[in-house]
């Protein structure tokens, strides 16, 4: 990994950890956040996945209009590290623990690799945080 990629990875990790801490406190059922990156086409190759515990919690999150707020927070946080994303919606997706359990027996590595073709060529980092902080 190139030196600049290591720096970006550290920035992503730091920024997304901040977002995760906020989201756990603000959104019922928010569990963790992860990202996958293909540094050869960065920032286009960045994908962020926000994980909720259940489908119903994710649905309530969307119904309350919290999605736009969280997307804005992610975009502003990354911009602090000069990581500017033109259309945040193309970089962020949402998933649930229950869906992973039902479809991939809880195997997140398999789920993420199957749903993101860049996982084969890029790097992935998990940023899970317990509700306690």
């Amino acid at each position: 990994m190139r030196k600049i990629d290591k720096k970006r990875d550290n920035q992503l990790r730091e920024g997304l950890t901040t977002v995760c801490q906020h989201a756990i406190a603000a959104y019922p059922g928010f569990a963790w956040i992860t990202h996958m990156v293909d540094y050869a086409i960065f920032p286009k190759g960045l994908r962020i996945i926000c994980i909720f515990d259940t489908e119903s919690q994710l649905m309530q999150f969307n119904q309350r209009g919290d999605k736009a707020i969280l997307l804005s927070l992610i975009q502003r946080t990354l911009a602090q590290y000069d990581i500017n994303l033109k259309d945040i919606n193309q970089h962020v997706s949402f998933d649930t623990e229950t869906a992973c359990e039902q479809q991939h027996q809880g195997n997140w590595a398999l789920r993420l690799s199957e749903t993101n073709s860049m996982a084969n060529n890029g790097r992935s980092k998990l940023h899970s945080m317990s509700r306690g902080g």
Side-chain angles (χ1 to χ4, degrees), residues 52-69:
F52 281 78
D53 288 327
T54 67
E55 298 293 327
S56 124
Q57 289 167 327
L58 178 56
M59 190 168 57
Q60 290 170 4
F61 167 82
N62 286 320
Q63 289 172 344
R64 286 189 309 266
D66 290 333
K67 179 180 176 183
I69 296 167

Side-chain angles (χ1 to χ4, degrees), residues 20-32:
C20 187
Q21 290 170 334
H22 170 80
I24 286 171
Y27 308 119
F30 188 92
W32 52 284

Side-chain angles (χ1 to χ4, degrees), residues 34-103:
T34 188
H35 74 278
M36 304 174 86
V37 184
D38 180 346
Y39 284 109
I41 55 172
F42 187 83
K44 184 181 178 183
L46 172 61
R47 180 161 178 228
I48 299 165
I49 305 97
C50 298
I51 312 298
F52 281 78
D53 288 327
T54 67
E55 298 293 327
S56 124
Q57 289 167 327
L58 178 56
M59 190 168 57
Q60 290 170 4
F61 167 82
N62 286 320
Q63 289 172 344
R64 286 189 309 266
D66 290 333
K67 179 180 176 183
I69 296 167
L70 182 57
L71 291 175
S72 177
L73 175 63
I74 292 169
Q75 192 161 27
R76 286 190 326 267
T77 300
L78 295 181
Q80 293 174 358
Y81 299 97
D82 292 323
I83 300 170
N84 299 301
L85 305 174
K86 291 181 183 179
D87 183 1
I88 191 72
N89 290 298
Q90 292 184 0
H91 295 274
V92 180
S93 60
F94 295 84
D95 206 344
T96 66
E97 290 282 0
T98 54
C100 181
E101 189 61 42
Q102 291 169 355
Q103 298 166 9

Side-chain angles (χ1 to χ4, degrees), residues 8-33:
R8 286 179 181 149
D9 197 59
N10 287 335
Q11 291 171 332
L12 284 166
R13 193 173 338 106
E14 184 176 315
L16 292 177
T17 296
T18 300
V19 169
C20 187
Q21 290 170 334
H22 170 80
I24 286 171
Y27 308 119
F30 188 92
W32 52 284
I33 193 167

